[in-house]
Amino acid sequence: EDQVTQSPEALRLQEGESSSLNCSYTVSGLRGLFWYRQDPGKGPEFLFTLYSAGEEKEKERLKATLTKKESFLHITAPKPEDSATYLCAVQDSGGYQKVTFGIGTKLQVIP
Amino acid sequence: GAGVSQSPRYKVAKRGQDVALRCDPISGHVSLFWYQQALGQGPEFLTYFQNEAQLDKSGLPSDRFFAERPEGSVSTLKIQRTQQEDSAVYLCASSLGSPDTIYFGEGSWLTVV
């Protein structure tokens, strides 16, 4: 069974203080690893898809990287508007389109 | 439409009542998913449709849960004889079929009292 473990569960940063969120995963074969952002009361908002180890993607202050066992979401010089829960998810190459999510990392950026 | 639309946004049901949650996916999207999200948790997979075919319903928690997509567009998730443990946000998502473009709706918040 696919598993996704995210750490830390919560993270508090000062504005401008860079950090990384971790996503460890177990799948029989990886079709894709996804990062989403979720604001309170909203549905998840798609950020990135990574397909193979060594791949990196960037968007504004966010950069996602992938190894064979984990992914990192690096946040550079965060701003208060980056405060949200960041969800990691994986899709197994053996199944249909089922995507398995972690519980997320709740990020708070303090001005 | 511009995005995935879900209704109602909020529903309070009395225990034992039946509820129906509607999802209007992005026009042309072949794949449609339902997820359940409890407070403080990540979304949990319920079921998946490709057009009108329900290809995976392994996540439906009991036979009280039923989903349909009869014409390959709008989908309805029905919960019969609701229980308190059914209280959660029900998220619908759709995609063209590729794994990297799954778009979520805002969710339907169900509270069973």
Side-chain angles (χ1 to χ4, degrees):
Chain A
E1 186 176 323
D2 301 342
Q3 288 192 331
V4 178
T5 304
Q6 292 189 246
S7 62
E9 289 191 11
L11 181 62
R12 202 172 182 199
L13 298 173
Q14 292 289 330
E15 185 173 0
E17 179 187 2
S18 301
S19 188
S20 296
L21 312 182
N22 177 264
C23 170
S24 298
Y25 64 91
T26 304
V27 292
S28 54
L30 182 69
R31 175 176 285 178
L33 182 139
F34 313 96
W35 283 98
Y36 284 84
R37 169 191 171 127
Q38 188 171 28
D39 293 296
K42 303 284 188 181
E45 176 189 343
F46 172 76
L47 293 173
F48 304 110
T49 306
L50 301 168
Y51 294 103
S52 57
E55 190 174 359
E56 298 183 352
K57 288 194 177 173
E58 285 188 69
K59 180 180 179 180
E60 297 180 355
R61 295 176 293 281
L62 300 177
K63 178 180 177 181
T65 61
L66 180 65
T67 72
K68 288 188 177 179
K69 293 187 176 180
E70 56 191 352
S71 176
F72 293 93
L73 184 66
H74 307 278
I75 303 177
T76 302
K79 298 183 178 182
E81 53 262 40
D82 294 324
S83 297
T85 295
Y86 290 86
L87 296 164
C88 175
V90 296
Q91 187 177 43
D92 193 313
S93 60
Y96 282 115
Q97 299 249 355
K98 177 180 175 179
V99 175
T100 302
F101 282 83
I103 65 169
T105 293
K106 186 173 182 179
L107 173 66
Q108 184 183 13
V109 182
I110 303 161
Chain B
V4 178
S5 179
Q6 292 188 246
S7 62
R9 283 279 283 134
Y10 304 96
K11 174 71 178 178
V12 178
K14 290 185 177 178
R15 192 173 142 200
Q17 188 178 356
D18 296 349
V19 299
L21 308 177
R22 176 190 166 105
C23 173
D24 214 324
I26 294 171
S27 179
H29 278 196
V30 169
S31 298
L32 185 144
F33 312 79
W34 284 99
Y35 280 80
Q36 180 190 59
Q37 187 172 25
L39 196 63
Q41 300 296 312
E44 295 275 346
F45 172 82
L46 293 177
T47 188
Y48 160 67
F49 289 87
Q50 184 173 307
N51 295 307
E52 68 278 3
Q54 189 175 19
L55 298 183
D56 188 346
K57 55 182 180 180
S58 62
L60 296 176
S62 77
D63 58 9
R64 297 186 295 103
F65 287 71
F66 172 74
E68 60 182 6
R69 193 186 185 196
E71 296 178 359
S73 178
V74 171
S75 177
T76 304
L77 177 66
K78 297 180 180 178
I79 309 172
Q80 297 178 322
R81 305 181 303 282
T82 52
Q83 303 294 315
Q84 282 192 317
E85 60 262 31
D86 299 335
S87 296
V89 179
Y90 291 86
L91 294 164
C92 178
S94 70
S95 77
L96 281 170
S98 64
D100 62 338
T101 51
I102 300 174
Y103 299 96
F104 281 83
E106 300 287 14
S108 289
W109 293 64
L110 174 64
T111 303
V112 182
V113 298

